[in-house]
Amino acid sequence: MRVQLIDFSMAVKEGGSGLPVLFIHGYPLNNKMWTPQLDSLSEVVHVIAPDLRGHGDSESTPVEDLDSRGYSMNMMATDCSALLDRLKINRPVILCGLSMGGYISFAFYRKYPERVKGLIMTATRASADSQESVNARNEAIQLAKNKGINAIIEASLPKMMAPKTYTQHPELVMEVHKIMQTTSLDGIVGDLMGMINRPDSTSMLSEIHVPTLIIHGNDDQIIPLEEVETMHNAIPKSKLVILPDAGHLLNLEQPELFNNTLKMFLQELTSE
Ligand code: MLT
C-alpha cells in the first residue's frame, strides 16, 4: 500500500486488527526486515510497517533540500505520526523500533507522548553519538557519495549479525544484503546526518511512563549490552530480555524467540 504524506509518498505494509503496533526499521534497511514479525504478529495485533523516506519503496527527499540535520529523527517521527493520521489511527499505539528505529521512537515519544501506549526498544540505545561515532559516520557519508551503496553494505553488513549467524546463515546474509541495496543514496546520507545530530535521550528515560520492553541480542556488535542495561535501570516500567545467539538483527536471527517475547508483552498490554 502507498500513502501520500505532505512531501513524499510512503510505502507501508499493514495487516491484522486490534492493538496497533508500528514497526520502525533501522539503518540502512526497510520494512522487509520485519517480515517474520508481520507474518506472525498480524494474527494477534494490527501491524503497520512503513518504509521510512528514502528507503525501500518510499520516495526519497534530496538531502540538499534539507538542513544539516538531514533525515532527522524528529522528521521521521513526524512522518510516522502523519502516517497514523492518514490511516485514521487515533488510539495510542505500541512503537517497535530497531536501532535507528529506536532513536526515532524516542523522538516520537518526546513529541507525541499521548499517542504511545507502550515501547519495544530493539537493539537500540538512548545515548547520542560519541566523537568517534561522529567521525565514523562522516567517513561513511564520504564513502557513500564516492563509492555508492555497495561500499556501505560491504563495510556494515558483517557487523549487523552475530558472527555465528554471519558464517552459518549465508541465506540470511543475502536477504539482508538485498534489503540494504534498495536504500537510496539520499536515504543513506540523510540517515547518517540525522543520527549524528540526534539528541541524547538519557535524561528522558526516567520520564517514560509506559510499559517498555527492551530486547537485545547477546552478540550485538553495534550496541553494547551496557547501553541497554542503562536504559532498563532508568525506565520505570521496563523489562529487559536478552536473546542468545543473536546480534543486531535479532528479530531475523531468532525470529521465534523474538516473536514469542513480543506476543507475551503485547498480551499483557491488551489485557490491561
Ligand atoms: C541501525 O541499525 O539502525 C544502525 O546501526 C544504528 C546506528 O548506526 O547507530
Side-chain angles (χ1 to χ4, degrees):
M1 169 177 69
R2 300 197 73 83
V3 171
Q4 185 59 44
L5 302 186
I6 292 178
D7 61 343
F8 77 107
S9 156
M10 183 183 242
V12 188
K13 289 196 163 89
E14 200 187 8
S17 61
L19 182 64
V21 183
L22 183 68
F23 287 87
I24 311 177
H25 64 76
Y27 158 89
L29 302 156
N30 61 54
N31 64 13
K32 289 199 179 64
M33 64 152 283
W34 296 117
T35 301
Q37 285 65 55
L38 303 186
D39 289 347
S40 164
L41 294 168
S42 59
E43 291 165 10
V44 287
V45 289
H46 177 184
V47 297
I48 306 141
D51 281 344
L52 296 168
R53 65 169 86 206
H55 301 74
D57 294 324
S58 284
E59 284 174 356
S60 54
T61 307
V63 277
E64 295 76 37
D65 294 355
L66 303 168
D67 63 26
S68 64
R69 287 167 297 179
Y71 284 25
S72 71
M73 303 302 108
N74 227 15
M75 177 175 85
M76 293 195 274
T78 309
D79 291 343
C80 290
S81 173
L83 166 66
L84 296 177
D85 290 342
R86 290 303 310 265
L87 298 178
K88 298 198 178 359
I89 296 175
N90 301 315
R91 61 191 278 199
V93 305
I94 312 294
L95 300 178
C96 175
L98 182 133
S99 202
M100 183 181 75
Y103 312 156
I104 297 169
S105 302
F106 279 127
F108 189 105
Y109 188 79
R110 223 178 338 256
K111 224 171 158 195
Y112 314 105
E114 72 292 345
R115 289 201 100 151
V116 183
K117 186 177 168 72
L119 292 168
I120 302 172
M121 303 305 256
T122 308
T124 196
R125 51 155 68 101
S127 59
D129 274 4
S130 61
Q131 190 53 50
E132 197 186 342
S133 304
V134 169
N135 296 344
R137 293 206 204 274
N138 279 323
E139 278 170 25
I141 290 174
Q142 288 319 315
L143 183 70
K145 285 182 176 169
N146 297 334
K147 301 252 168 80
I149 173 76
N150 282 330
I152 292 286
I153 297 177
E154 204 179 305
S156 55
L157 188 56
K159 288 184 250 150
M160 298 296 277
M161 283 161 256
K164 196 166 155 191
T165 313
Y166 194 73
T167 48
Q168 295 184 357
H169 292 280
E171 72 298 340
L172 186 56
V173 177
M174 275 314 293
E175 185 56 36
V176 176
H177 189 288
K178 258 171 57 192
I179 294 175
M180 285 178 157
Q181 225 159 13
T182 64
T183 310
S184 67
L185 183 59
D186 282 307
I188 300 265
V189 174
D191 286 354
L192 289 165
M193 292 164 74
M195 288 192 282
I196 288 176
N197 288 292
R198 76 185 190 280
D200 193 316
S201 296
T202 311
S203 63
M204 74 181 271
L205 296 176
S206 60
E207 281 150 35
I208 295 180
H209 294 297
V210 293
T212 301
L213 169 67
I214 300 165
I215 181 162
H216 209 75
N218 200 31
D219 297 322
D220 191 318
Q221 301 185 75
I222 296 180
I223 302 198
L225 280 176
E226 300 86 71
E227 294 266 7
V228 291
E229 278 155 6
T230 305
M231 287 202 293
H232 176 48
N233 291 335
I235 302 177
K237 286 199 235 167
S238 66
K239 186 175 169 180
L240 172 61
V241 177
I242 311 279
L243 299 190
D245 292 330
H248 196 56
L249 295 180
L250 62 163
N251 66 305
L252 290 170
E253 300 179 64
Q254 292 289 355
E256 238 175 84
L257 275 181
F258 187 89
N259 291 350
N260 288 343
T261 308
L262 260 59
K263 276 184 185 165
M264 268 166 58
F265 177 72
L266 293 169
Q267 212 161 30
E268 282 167 26
L269 281 177
T270 331
S271 58
E272 262 184 3

